[in-house]
């Protein structure tokens, strides 16, 4: 939950509409909050995080208890929830935003997120990849991985909010995630090396003790001893797949140097000079942090202290390893520059998360593509009981998923089909350029010749194609070359959905709102330019008649045949109060009416951008006066122009019979009480 007693941030991830949302937040909600008094005390308005670029992250310390005491704050809460569900706002803790920022993402980067679930950092990576929204397919991509099959679906939910064709969710043990093959520009097969890797490893979570009460009860000094080997193996596997000149960020929410500086020191020592610890001290001005430590001691569960490996008795060698101690060679230790590690403590920024420790590992140019880790790392022995017939098991520590009995994979796995666990996914099938599904689509929407048909895929080998998805060229390359290596959970963005009887209008597929910003650059027909007032009508009335539109849009619609359409808005310089960014909505031109095919939360989002305040009634309460007015407008529309015998709902059933499978939130707001003012 966002609204707890500790300040948690609101970040605005998608730069395309971020300025509009920020304008709405600052000039409406934040100003109104400043006037609210609860129990005689003024509410402190949210404040921007000083170190986050362009004021795109804010924090607040309002509790749920306070929210319940003010209708105005309840509106603000609904705004946050709705915008989060539509992907325009992300809510996460301040310190968890730092690792992606330190990665310095550019649109052409190939990115691996090794331990990605639940996905807040992954969402940041996708956002940075799409920093130029005029480019529908950035050259780069994000592969987000997690070992837990169920948590992968949390990851899918986070990623799907951002509607990117450049994200793939996979399900592997990060410590031996397979090395992938790709087709190179010269037509040969090559190994995929990543430009950026996020290594946010499972940890003891002792840095989260401020918000996570269970840590106080479950914490022991042995937690870090159990995790150290796994953390090294994951980090090493990341380094092995890092490109020359690439950058890897290693992060934990642990205070213990055994999970932090000890892992970094091990990486630097084993890399034999191929890695260096980058200085990120100036990357985030205003961020408070402490330098990494260079000396530490180790304590067992029984309270015994050791400052050097030589002091550890032989009977402890299965639990305590040499890599857990700082290097004894002072010159070697100085050359590692461990003080460049960033320790971020709870009191530095009054953050809700405990502490994050970051390594930015930079690989200097080298002549070989070989792994930068020169010497294989020893496998950390497991305690008795951690092995169970050679099978992996999970252990929960400090709220994190912890995995044992993993081995370091320095080579790609055998080229054989991997056994699936959990829910079995449908296959991903790429269409060929001569697939019979394309001619009617190309003709109906007048797709430009450069439309990348080979990037279109479906999720079935047999039967009619129900949905069509798209991925970027680079992700297609990865998928085609690694179908036997990867366990893919989800990828791509939906661009078309089938209408069962759509052939009578010229095309069996209607446009999907989630993929419209990917498709729009290639569509050259079926577009109606609309005004602010037109969009208000389309998003607040269920199925308005064409005559409800302003004259310009009305004339365009009258000349257009029935079927799927794009409703296009462009900023009007003469109206500074209107949205200052382009908007594209999917719609349907019916026989006498027109409608928008936009999910509920996105309707709320666009209406707010147009200056219309929308919010839901509390469950069990009837519609408010403003909603009654909206319903009266719909009733009037049903009888105007002499069309008393055909209501918009009847017409809708006639022209969209193929959409019965749509979920409630995809059908005209899903029956939600919508209040507009």
């Amino acid at each position: 939950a966002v609204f707890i007693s500790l300040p948690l941030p609101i970040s605005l991830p998608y730069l395309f509409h971020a300025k509009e949302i920020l304008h709405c937040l600052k000039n409406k909600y934040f100003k109104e909050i400043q006037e609210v008094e609860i129990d005689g005390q003024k509410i402190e308005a949210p404040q921007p995080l000083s170190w986050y670029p362009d004021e795109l992250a804010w924090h607040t310390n309002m509790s749920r208890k306070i929210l319940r005491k003010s209708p105005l704050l309840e509106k603000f809460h609904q705004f946050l929830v709705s915008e989060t569900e539509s992907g325009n706002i992300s809510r996460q803790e301040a310190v968890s935003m730092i690792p992606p920022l330190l990665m310095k993402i550019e649109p052409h980067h190939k990115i691996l997120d090794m331990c990605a679930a639940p996905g807040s950092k992954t969402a940041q990576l996708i956002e940075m990849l799409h920093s130029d929204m005029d480019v529908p397919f950035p050259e780069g991509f994000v592969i987000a991985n997690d070992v837990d099959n169920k948590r992968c679906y949390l990851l899918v939910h986070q990623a799907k909010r951002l509607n990117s064709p450049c994200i793939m969710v996979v399900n592997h043990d990060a410590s031996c995630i397979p090395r992938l093959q790709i087709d190179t520009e010269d037509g040969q097969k090559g190994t995929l090396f990543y430009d950026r890797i996020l290594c946010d490893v499972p940890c003891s979570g002792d840095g989260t003790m401020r918000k996570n009460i269970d840590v106080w009860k479950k914490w022991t000094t042995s937690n870090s001893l159990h995790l150290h080997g796994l953390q090294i193996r994951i980090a090493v596997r990341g380094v092995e797949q890092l490109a020359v000149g690439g950058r890897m960020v290693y992060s934990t929410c642990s205070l213990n140097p055994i999970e932090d500086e000890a892992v970094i020191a091990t990486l630097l020592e084993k890399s034999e000079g191929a890695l260096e610890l980058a200085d990120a001290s100036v990357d985030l001005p205003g961020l408070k942090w402490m330098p990494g430590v260079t000396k530490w001691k180790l304590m067992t569960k029984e309270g015994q202290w050791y400052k050097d490996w030589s002091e550890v008795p032989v009977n402890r060698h299965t639990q305590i390893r040499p890599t857990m101690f700082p290097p004894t060679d002072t010159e070697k230790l100085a050359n590692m520059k461990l003080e460049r590690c960033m320790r971020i403590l709870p009191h530095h920024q009054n953050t809700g998360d405990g502490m994050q420790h970051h390594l930015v590992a930079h690989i200097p140019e080298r002549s070989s593509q070989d792994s930068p880790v020169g010497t294989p790392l020893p496998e950390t022995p497991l305690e008795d009981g951690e092995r169970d017939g050679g099978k992996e098991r999970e252990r929960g520590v400090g709220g994190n998923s912890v995995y044992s009995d993993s081995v370091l994979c320095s080579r790609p796995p055998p080229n054989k089909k991997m056994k699936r666990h959990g829910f079995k996914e449908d296959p991903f099938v790429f269409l060929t350029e001569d697939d019979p599904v394309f001619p009617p689509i190309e003709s109906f929407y007048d797709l430009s010749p450069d439309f990348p048909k080979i990037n279109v895929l479906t999720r079935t080998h047999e039967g009619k194609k129900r949905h069509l998805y798209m991925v970027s060229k680079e992700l297609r390359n990865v998928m085609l070359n690694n179908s036997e290596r990867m366990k893919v959970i989800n990828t791509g963005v939906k661009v078309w959905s089938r209408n069962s009887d759509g052939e009578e209008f010229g095309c069996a597929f209607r446009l999907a709102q989630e993929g419209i910003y990917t498709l729009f650059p290639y569509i050259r027909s079926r577009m109606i330019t609309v005004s602010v007032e037109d969009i208000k009508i389309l998003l607040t009335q269920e199925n308005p008649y064409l005559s409800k539109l302003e004259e310009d849009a009305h004339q365009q619609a009258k000349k257009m045949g029935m079927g799927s359409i794009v409703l296009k808005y462009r900023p009007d310089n003469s109206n500074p109060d209107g949205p200052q960014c382009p908007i594209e909505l999917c719609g349907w031109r019916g026989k006498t009416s027109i409608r928008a095919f936009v999910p509920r939360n996105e309707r709320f989002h666009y209406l707010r951008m147009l200056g219309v305040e929308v919010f839901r009634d509390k469950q069990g309460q009837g519609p408010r006066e403003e909603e009654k007015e909206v319903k009266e407008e719909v009733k009037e529309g049903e009888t105007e122009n002499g069309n008393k015998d055909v209501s918009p709902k009847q017409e809708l059933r006639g022209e969209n019979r193929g959409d019965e499978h749509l979920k409630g939130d995809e059908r005209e707001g899903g029956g939600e009480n919508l209040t507009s003012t």
Side-chain angles (χ1 to χ4, degrees), residues 66-316:
I66 290 177
L67 285 173
R68 295 190 185 103
K69 292 185 176 183
S70 168
L72 183 60
L73 295 182
E74 174 61 26
K75 283 188 190 179
F76 178 50
H77 184 212
Q78 285 195 18
F79 168 83
L80 294 180
V81 171
S82 177
E83 292 294 332
T84 298
E85 291 176 0
S86 61
N88 296 294
I89 282 179
S90 286
R91 295 179 289 169
Q92 64 187 105
E93 299 213 47
V95 285
S96 74
M97 297 178 176
I98 298 171
L101 291 176
L102 291 175
M103 293 175 73
K104 298 183 177 180
I105 301 297
E106 297 180 15
H108 64 276
H109 283 156
K110 298 174 178 62
I111 306 162
L112 173 64
D113 190 350
M114 300 188 74
C115 308
S120 58
K121 296 182 182 69
T122 307
Q124 275 183 276
L125 299 176
I126 299 171
E127 161 215 336
M128 296 171 184
L129 201 64
H130 287 274
S131 58
D132 185 355
M133 282 299 296
D134 292 330
V135 180
F137 293 103
E139 292 181 22
F141 56 77
V142 177
I143 294 180
N145 173 71
D146 202 86
V147 70
D148 189 312
N149 185 267
K150 291 180 181 178
R151 283 167 61 87
C152 281
Y153 291 95
L154 294 176
L155 192 55
V156 169
H157 174 73
Q158 278 276 29
K160 287 184 76 171
R161 296 182 308 122
L162 299 179
N163 299 329
S164 170
C166 305
I167 172 69
M168 178 191 295
V169 176
V170 298
N171 181 200
H172 292 279
D173 181 345
S175 65
C176 52
I177 190 169
R179 183 173 290 174
L180 304 180
Q181 301 293 311
I182 54 173
D183 293 325
T184 59
E185 293 182 358
D186 59 4
Q188 303 297 313
K189 297 291 183 183
T191 300
L192 172 61
F193 289 99
Y194 299 94
D195 302 295
R196 297 290 187 269
I197 294 178
L198 177 57
C199 192
D200 187 46
V201 297
C203 65
S204 64
D206 59 19
T208 67
M209 63 182 72
R210 190 180 181 193
K211 66 167 185 177
N212 188 354
I213 304 301
D214 286 343
V215 171
W216 293 88
K217 296 183 290 185
K218 296 179 180 179
W219 182 87
T220 72
T221 54
S222 61
N223 290 351
S224 296
L225 303 183
H226 295 157
L227 290 164
H228 174 79
L230 171 65
Q231 291 162 341
I232 287 179
R233 291 193 293 274
I234 292 175
V236 166
R237 192 57 181 157
V239 168
E240 287 175 342
Q241 302 198 38
L242 195 59
V244 174
R247 175 176 285 238
M248 184 175 89
V249 172
Y250 173 90
S251 65
T252 75
C253 40
S254 170
L255 298 162
N256 198 321
I258 294 173
E259 301 181 59
D260 302 325
E261 287 87 349
V263 175
I264 302 309
T266 303
L267 285 178
L268 294 172
E269 183 170 7
K270 299 300 181 181
S271 70
E272 298 179 351
L275 292 176
E276 65 180 14
L277 194 55
D279 184 359
S281 59
V282 298
D283 290 346
L284 298 177
L287 179 68
K288 297 176 183 177
W289 55 279
M290 289 178 61
V293 298
T294 57
K295 294 181 181 180
W296 60 88
K297 293 187 293 184
L298 185 150
M299 189 177 76
T300 66
K301 189 175 183 179
E302 296 76 23
Q304 296 167 298
W305 286 93
Y306 302 108
K307 63 179 181 180
D308 186 79
W309 168 250
S310 62
E311 299 178 356
V312 181
V314 174
N315 65 345
R316 291 283 188 179

Side-chain angles (χ1 to χ4, degrees), residues 20 530 532 568-575 578-583:
E20 297 295 324
V530 292
V532 168
K568 179 179 71 172
Y569 166 82
R570 289 297 177 265
D572 182 359
N573 294 331
S574 63
N575 180 17
Q580 297 305 302
C581 65
I583 296 174

Side-chain angles (χ1 to χ4, degrees), residues 300-464:
T300 66
K301 189 175 183 179
E302 296 76 23
Q304 296 167 298
W305 286 93
Y306 302 108
K307 63 179 181 180
D308 186 79
W309 168 250
S310 62
E311 299 178 356
V312 181
V314 174
N315 65 345
R316 291 283 188 179
H317 283 189
T318 57
Q319 292 90 38
I320 300 174
R321 304 299 298 157
T323 53
M324 297 178 180
F325 295 92
T328 54
D329 187 325
T330 55
E331 183 178 353
K332 181 184 292 186
L333 182 61
N335 290 334
M336 288 182 178
K337 298 182 174 62
L338 292 181
E339 65 277 1
R340 289 182 174 177
C341 294
M342 303 173 71
R343 286 182 157 263
I344 301 161
L345 304 181
H347 63 280
H348 285 156
Q349 274 85 208
N350 193 28
T351 48
D353 205 342
M355 189 277 295
Q356 294 246 340
H357 163 95
H358 305 283
L359 160 72
V360 182
H362 173 76
I363 299 187
E365 291 292 338
R366 59 181 190 270
S367 58
S368 171
Q369 288 286 343
D370 293 337
S371 166
V373 179
T375 307
L377 293 171
E379 181 182 350
T380 302
L382 300 173
E383 290 190 331
D384 293 339
E386 285 195 25
R387 294 185 184 274
D388 181 15
K391 297 180 180 179
E392 288 186 336
R393 71 182 184 93
E394 284 187 16
R395 187 198 308 116
V397 180
N400 293 279
S401 295
V402 181
Y403 319 103
S404 59
D405 198 14
S406 301
V407 296
L408 174 63
C409 296
S410 57
R411 300 182 181 85
N415 189 14
K416 63 180 180 180
K417 192 170 185 65
M418 302 183 69
K419 184 179 179 180
R420 292 183 181 271
H421 301 279
F423 181 73
K424 185 175 181 180
E425 288 291 334
D426 294 330
F428 295 84
V429 183
F430 281 97
L431 305 186
T432 59
E433 289 190 287
D434 59 353
D435 192 290
V437 77
F438 283 127
I441 291 177
E442 289 179 287
S443 174
F444 191 73
Y445 297 104
D446 190 18
L447 297 184
S448 59
D450 60 339
F451 174 71
K453 291 187 284 186
I454 60 173
N455 292 5
V456 178
L457 59 88
T458 65
R459 299 299 300 272
T460 179
H461 283 289
E462 301 173 354
K464 283 189 175 183

Side-chain angles (χ1 to χ4, degrees), residues 16-17 133 136 163-165 445 470 493-496 510-523 525-527 564-568 570 582-587 597-599 602 606:
F16 195 46
H17 291 163
M133 282 299 296
N163 299 329
S164 170
Y445 297 104
M470 289 193 76
V493 60
K494 183 167 68 176
V495 289
W496 281 293
R510 69 167 180 84
L511 297 164
Q513 180 64 31
E514 50 261 63
I516 190 60
Y517 289 104
T518 298
L519 269 187
F520 182 77
Y522 304 103
I523 298 175
S525 71
R526 307 295 302 173
M527 278 186 280
S564 187
I565 57 173
V566 180
L567 302 161
K568 179 179 71 172
R570 289 297 177 265
I583 296 174
E584 284 102 36
L585 306 177
C586 292
F597 256 127
V598 181
E602 287 196 50
Y606 287 114

